[in-house]
Amino acid sequence: MSGTFMGINIALSSLQAQQAALDTVANNIANANTPGYKRQRVLLGEGNPVTGPFGDGINRRTMLGTGVDVIEIQRVQDTFVDNRVRQTSASASEWAAKSDTLAQLESIFNEPSDQGIGSQLDKFWSAWEKLSAQPDDIPTRKALIQQAQTLTMRIRQSYGQIRSIGEDVDTAVRDKVGQINSITSQIVELNRKIQWSSSSGASPNDLLDQRDILVGQLSSLAGVDVFGKGGQDFTVILGNKILVQGTARDTLGVRLDAGGLQEVYSTADGDARRVPGGEIAGLLDLRANAIPGFMTALDDFASALAVEVNAIHNTGFTMDGTQAGDFFDPNTTAADFEVDPDILSSARNVAASDAALPPGNNVISNQIAGLRTQTLAVGRTINQLYQGIISDAGTQSALAKQYADTQNATLEQFTAQQQSVSGVSLDEEMTDMIRFQQAYGAAARILTACDDVLSTLIEKTGMVGR
Amino acid sequence: MRVSLSLQMDSTAAQLREAAERMLNAQRVVTSGKKITKPSDDPTLANRSMSLRCGINGIAQYQENNNLAKSSIDFAEATVGDIAKELKLLQAQANKVTATLSDESRQAMLSEIEDIRQRLLGLAGTKYLDKYIFSGTAINTTPIVANPADPAIPPYLYQGDAGIVQLRVQEDEKIQLNVSASEIFNLDGSAGAGVADVFTVIDQLETCVKAGDVQGASDLVTDIGALHSNVLGLQAELGSRSARLEDNATALTDMSNRMKELLSNLEDADLPSAIIDLQTQQNVYQAALAVTSQLMQRSLADYLS
């Protein structure tokens, strides 16, 4: 039943609704550049109609509208695109992590150039050739030892740098897993608030935005899947295991597995957790494959160099006519590669000769210098063994960069789609602002009209003939 | 498509970033003059470039060895040539032996023969870079010394060894540098059956001169001839080694130049096209900046009052 003041109520509902819409426009413009903000929209609906005073009340009735109602303030989003962005960001950060680290690895070798291990190796063979020309010349012998030391130092250094990149990766994995724990604890906190807000009937848009941001971060760290929308049913899955469910969460840790590699595990049940994507997956993969691969390859190269040179050197004789020992210390690997202490103690212990006394005999130094182009049992020369490492580093790095670029381009496309749906358009907001501003003005005018009508009723009624 | 503020801003930023990155890459190519600066720029090319570098470094060393070997062999060849001349002089002395030599001319001949012996001993002890060149690998040992035995037969002994000194002048080729005094002076009997060594022949010639033994001297002329052609043979051998090294030097230079050219083709940027590319990228970047600054200034707010 419509009352006397119904017009005022309708105008009021309109003023309130237009006000809410204008406030939403203000909020949208205010958050135009806020990361993770999804534009909001006021969903307006008609008020419940009431039976008017017209008609006979039995066969003929009139229904009067009672104004406007704010049904909901909605977040505008496309869940499909949001999911694509999340999934692509996981693989994009996985490959970005690989690409960055592999680029560091290849830059260690500083190839192709005249300064890398490759050139030092060439200079090492040349030093043996120079010894062939002057087998009993002490300065030539000392120059050879010096060159050998430069070579071993460069190999040690490169090995150490690869190892320290490995250690950096380990530290990064621990940091990132710590970040996951911090993010899941924030998600749990948000879930509690969302649950509470939802139960009071409100739509906690800003909390949902915050949670989306956190899930996005989680995904680029570890590649997670999510289900559910509310507070209690919201579930985050990490590699087929539940990471967060409502207000409960699993905390993760990092430990060494049986093979001495890092693995992520749950501190709750003590089981290992598979990390399906994201930066952590990229880092773990590097730690398990590329980094030890390069260390082994460098070890193999150093060991081939030592074995081949020593095998020939052992058959030779020192300047003092005694059977020569090793040239490279056979107890060392790439990590501590060094010239044999005997050689370091005296240049006379370098063997150039294959017979006890003749000072001009250069058979051994010629043979060792010949290793430059000699194909070993593995089917490659020592130089080619080293070139294989560089080629491998280059190929892996190029491949990772290519994947990272592709994933990034895809991510950019999906992000653009996401922003196209959920981003704030200033022109649109301006249009809305005018739309709601004018409606507000009109509603205010209605209020004035109602006021006039009422004042006529109150003040002019019963004043006949006065 | 709905264009939101963040979409517009982000994609503009991304486009500018890409244009800037391409410009930087083009600039890197021009300033470094290299197509690639790290293996991942082109792994195949990097691998080939490393192989070529390895080859070029090797050849540089072979060239150094080749030069060393050539100067050493040329020096030995000249010395062996001097020895051949002395033998020729010795042969002339042997030819002068007659039954009726005056005491004076006999003394003169003996003193001339003594001079030749001393000069030959001196030549046998020739050093190159302070090392004996005719004593095999025993490069610190005087090759020919007087025989301390009594009677001293032969009068001088070879002290060196039969060692061969070789240097690598090609990937798979080594060249022998030395020739031993034992071959030169026929202490190894290589000049032919029945021919004694140079110093024994000198002693025999002295005996003939003193006795005026014409027949003996004329036999010695034949022997000295055999010794002389033995030395000439060695000289020719050294000469041909030197010629081989000469050819090899040219071959090495050719090979090195070819490989350097290949490396340059592989690694070095084509400068004109690199500069044009840089210019293009700069234009693209500047155009992007100009267009962006035009578009970004405008929104509906500018026209609402």
Side-chain angles (χ1 to χ4, degrees):
Chain A
M1 182 73 191
S2 77
T4 318
F5 297 104
M6 187 172 160
I8 292 181
N9 281 334
I10 291 176
L12 176 64
S13 78
S14 174
L15 284 177
Q16 283 171 338
Q18 310 307 332
Q19 181 71 60
L22 272 173
D23 288 350
T24 306
V25 166
N27 195 41
N28 279 343
I29 292 176
N31 284 299
N33 290 320
T34 309
Y37 180 77
K38 293 194 168 72
R39 77 186 157 108
Q40 295 178 6
R41 191 165 57 182
V42 176
L43 209 62
L44 296 176
E46 295 167 51
N48 281 331
V50 294
T51 310
F54 315 106
D56 60 5
I58 300 162
N59 295 325
R60 197 169 60 83
R61 276 182 297 195
T62 54
M63 301 292 279
L64 284 178
T66 54
V68 64
D69 192 13
V70 173
I71 297 173
E72 190 190 352
I73 299 181
Q74 263 186 339
R75 288 199 307 165
V76 182
Q77 69 183 118
D78 181 335
T79 319
F80 173 75
V81 175
D82 288 351
N83 284 341
R84 295 302 305 155
V85 168
R86 204 184 55 244
Q87 285 157 9
T88 323
S89 85
S91 52
S93 19
E94 177 179 354
W95 283 102
K98 285 190 193 175
S99 169
D100 288 353
T101 311
L102 285 167
Q104 283 179 33
L105 279 171
E106 71 166 332
S107 72
I108 284 177
F109 295 105
N110 189 18
E111 299 280 4
S113 78
D114 294 325
Q115 288 87 42
I117 291 178
S119 320
Q120 294 303 334
L121 190 58
D122 284 341
K123 287 184 189 152
F124 174 66
W125 302 132
S126 291
W128 281 102
E129 298 272 8
K130 292 188 167 83
L131 182 63
S132 285
Q134 289 176 289
D136 68 337
D137 186 48
I138 295 291
T140 308
R141 286 167 172 259
K142 286 194 169 150
L144 164 67
I145 295 172
Q146 200 113 61
Q147 182 54 45
Q149 281 184 294
T150 312
L151 177 63
T152 55
M153 187 195 70
R154 287 304 305 268
I155 293 173
R156 283 201 306 273
Q157 268 181 353
S158 299
Y159 190 86
Q161 281 168 326
I162 298 175
R163 190 170 46 200
S164 90
I165 285 182
E167 286 160 6
D168 291 350
V169 167
D170 286 347
T171 313
V173 168
R174 280 194 296 276
D175 284 356
K176 304 288 173 197
V177 168
Q179 282 178 28
I180 289 186
N181 288 335
S182 142
I183 290 172
T184 51
S185 94
Q186 293 176 55
I187 290 180
V188 163
E189 194 51 41
L190 279 171
N191 278 347
R192 196 168 287 131
K193 287 184 191 165
I194 288 167
Q195 192 187 349
W196 183 80
S197 308
S198 307
S199 65
S200 68
S203 164
N205 289 333
D206 309 297
L207 298 178
L208 293 174
D209 281 348
Q210 284 177 35
R211 191 173 68 185
D212 281 355
I213 294 178
L214 290 173
V215 170
Q217 290 172 356
L218 209 51
S219 197
S220 40
L221 282 173
V224 294
D225 287 318
V226 291
F227 301 102
K229 279 187 151 77
Q232 196 53 50
D233 64 341
F234 186 78
T235 312
V236 179
I237 306 280
L238 175 73
N240 299 333
K241 300 271 187 175
I242 292 170
L243 185 61
V244 176
Q245 187 163 39
T247 52
R249 70 174 182 125
D250 196 2
T251 50
L252 301 178
V254 181
R255 65 181 178 198
L256 294 182
D257 67 5
L261 291 171
Q262 290 197 313
E263 71 174 3
V264 177
Y265 72 104
S266 154
T267 53
D269 59 13
D271 288 343
R273 286 284 184 272
R274 193 175 64 83
V275 181
E279 214 175 333
I280 294 178
L283 293 173
L284 288 176
D285 179 53
L286 285 168
R287 201 66 187 91
N289 298 310
I291 293 173
F294 285 119
M295 288 165 88
T296 313
L298 207 55
D299 251 347
D300 290 349
F301 161 66
S303 131
L305 177 63
V307 166
E308 296 298 325
V309 171
N310 285 347
I312 301 175
H313 196 262
N314 277 326
T315 63
F317 289 84
T318 66
M319 255 179 101
D320 302 318
T322 54
Q323 184 83 38
D326 288 317
F327 185 81
F328 289 113
D329 189 341
N331 303 316
T332 56
T333 57
D336 52 356
F337 199 39
E338 188 47 281
V339 176
D340 200 78
D342 272 357
I343 301 288
L344 291 176
S345 70
S346 165
R348 300 179 71 83
N349 288 335
V350 175
S353 161
D354 71 339
L357 277 172
N361 184 317
N362 62 8
V363 174
I364 295 296
S365 56
N366 263 340
Q367 275 180 21
I368 294 179
L371 286 173
R372 186 203 295 266
T373 51
Q374 188 179 317
T375 307
L376 308 180
V378 291
R380 297 203 272 181
T381 65
I382 291 177
N383 283 58
Q384 281 166 351
L385 280 179
Y386 173 68
Q387 284 161 21
I389 302 177
I390 302 306
S391 171
D392 205 27
T395 314
Q396 286 197 36
S397 173
L399 199 68
K401 181 165 185 343
Q402 197 183 325
Y403 276 143
D405 286 350
T406 315
Q407 294 298 331
N408 230 359
T410 318
L411 179 61
E412 268 175 25
Q413 266 178 25
F414 283 126
T415 311
Q417 274 187 36
Q418 188 183 40
Q419 283 173 350
S420 176
V421 174
S422 302
V424 176
S425 157
L426 288 183
D427 294 342
E428 202 175 80
E429 298 303 328
M430 290 290 174
T431 319
D432 278 355
M433 183 181 80
I434 291 162
R435 190 207 321 262
F436 295 122
Q437 192 183 11
Q438 287 182 347
Y440 186 90
R445 191 57 64 84
I446 295 282
L447 199 56
T448 320
C450 285
D451 186 35
D452 267 3
V453 168
L454 280 175
S455 71
T456 306
L457 184 68
I458 294 165
E459 289 170 19
K460 300 282 168 60
T461 312
M463 305 285 280
V464 176
R466 209 180 275 187
Chain B
M1 182 168 170
R2 188 177 168 274
V3 178
S4 68
L5 177 68
S6 48
L7 171 60
Q8 195 185 6
M9 293 295 171
D10 286 1
S11 59
T12 310
Q15 281 154 13
L16 286 177
R17 198 174 54 234
E18 279 166 27
E21 191 185 339
R22 281 198 302 270
M23 189 174 65
L24 192 72
N25 278 338
Q27 190 189 356
R28 187 181 53 76
V29 171
V30 172
T31 50
S32 71
K34 299 279 177 204
K35 271 186 248 176
I36 61 164
T37 49
K38 51 186 194 301
S40 60
D41 289 340
D42 187 339
T44 329
L45 202 154
N47 202 24
R48 286 180 59 200
S49 124
M50 285 184 64
S51 294
L52 278 172
R53 264 168 209 281
C54 175
I56 291 169
N57 288 338
I59 288 177
Q61 184 57 42
Y62 302 147
Q63 281 176 320
E64 196 181 319
N65 288 0
N66 199 81
N67 291 344
L68 271 175
K70 185 158 186 326
S71 48
S72 153
I73 285 174
D74 285 351
F75 185 79
E77 189 201 348
T79 313
V80 170
D82 289 347
I83 291 171
K85 278 180 208 150
E86 295 300 332
L87 288 176
K88 205 74 201 164
L89 292 176
L90 191 67
Q91 200 176 27
Q93 293 300 322
N95 270 324
K96 280 198 260 175
V97 176
T98 58
T100 56
L101 278 174
S102 67
D103 272 359
E104 235 170 57
S105 49
R106 185 170 293 148
Q107 280 308 318
M109 279 176 74
L110 285 176
S111 120
E112 179 60 30
I113 290 168
E114 180 58 25
D115 282 354
I116 291 172
R117 179 181 13 234
Q118 289 310 321
R119 285 204 294 273
L120 282 173
L121 283 172
L123 286 167
T126 302
K127 285 182 170 184
Y128 180 68
L129 298 177
D130 210 29
K131 301 290 167 189
Y132 291 107
I133 60 174
F134 295 133
S135 54
T137 53
I139 52 178
N140 295 326
T141 311
T142 319
I144 303 286
V145 292
N147 189 350
D150 189 29
I153 300 169
Y156 287 89
L157 294 175
Y158 178 56
Q159 290 283 294
D161 60 18
I164 289 169
V165 177
Q166 287 182 318
L167 272 188
R168 186 178 281 98
V169 292
Q170 274 282 6
E171 190 179 317
D172 47 4
E173 189 185 349
K174 280 182 278 198
I175 197 134
Q176 184 181 345
L177 301 186
N178 60 340
V179 52
S180 84
S182 124
E183 281 177 276
I184 298 170
F185 297 102
N186 194 32
L187 287 154
D188 62 350
S190 60
V195 181
D197 69 274
V198 170
F199 299 102
T200 306
V201 167
I202 292 177
D203 276 5
Q204 288 169 351
L205 181 59
E206 276 176 342
T207 315
C208 288
V209 170
K210 284 174 189 160
D213 179 352
V214 178
Q215 183 53 46
S218 122
D219 288 349
L220 285 178
V221 168
T222 322
D223 283 359
I224 295 172
L227 289 171
H228 181 248
S229 53
N230 177 43
V231 171
L232 284 184
L234 291 172
Q235 192 190 2
E237 157 87 41
L238 287 169
S240 78
R241 279 187 216 163
S242 171
R244 248 169 72 203
L245 289 175
E246 186 87 52
D247 290 349
N248 191 47
T250 320
L252 286 172
T253 312
D254 282 358
M255 212 187 308
S256 168
N257 287 344
R258 254 201 324 276
M259 287 171 103
K260 279 178 183 162
E261 195 183 319
L262 268 176
L263 184 66
S264 162
N265 284 344
L266 276 185
E267 278 190 346
D268 295 348
D270 174 17
L271 217 49
S273 74
I275 290 171
I276 289 170
D277 188 37
L278 175 60
Q279 193 64 56
T280 314
Q281 298 304 345
Q282 272 175 343
N283 291 344
V284 168
Y285 182 61
Q286 277 164 9
L289 285 180
V291 168
T292 306
S293 69
Q294 288 284 314
L295 285 180
M296 302 271 276
Q297 286 170 354
R298 297 281 162 239
S299 90
L300 193 53
D302 296 322
Y303 301 98
L304 293 176
S305 54

